Amino acid sequence: AVAREMRSQWFQKWVENNAANSPNHLLNFHKTKHGKDEKNDILMQRAGGLQTVSISQIIVENSTTTFLYTDFFSTHRFLL
């Protein structure tokens, strides 16, 4: 519960500081480390191999929907 609240605070602070947030800015929030505790950060890495491996993002603009998948173990970014 503490880790969840910490992540929520990071996001609220980010929203307050990024009024003109774009899909790319939001993606960068999720690709950035925000604290010193890797076990509970946005980009999580825990003992035993449990870690963040990818980010999926759906962007809806006007009549266009875009699905973006970023794989941290590959140099590829998929846009569907």
Side-chain angles (χ1 to χ4, degrees):
V2 173
R4 188 178 309 145
E5 181 60 32
M6 184 172 51
R7 289 186 207 113
S8 177
Q9 289 174 6
W10 289 332
F11 186 68
Q12 290 302 321
K13 183 178 179 182
W14 181 86
V15 168
E16 291 169 7
N17 293 325
N18 294 280
N21 52 43
S22 69
N24 198 43
H25 285 119
L26 184 57
L27 182 62
N28 286 334
F29 169 82
H30 285 94
K31 291 171 64 174
T32 304
K33 293 186 178 186
H34 296 272
K36 296 180 182 180
D37 180 8
E38 288 185 334
K39 295 182 302 187
N40 295 305
D41 208 328
I42 299 295
L43 287 178
M44 179 186 65
Q45 186 166 10
R46 295 183 179 170
L50 183 64
Q51 62 187 12
T52 304
V53 297
S54 66
I55 297 174
S56 297
Q57 182 179 37
I58 298 173
I59 304 164
V60 179
E61 293 178 310
N62 302 319
S63 62
T64 304
T65 301
T66 305
F67 178 81
L68 180 65
Y69 176 80
T70 304
D71 183 339
F72 291 121
F73 292 101
S74 170
T75 58
H76 302 292
R77 240 177 121 184
F78 300 99
L79 180 64
L80 304 173

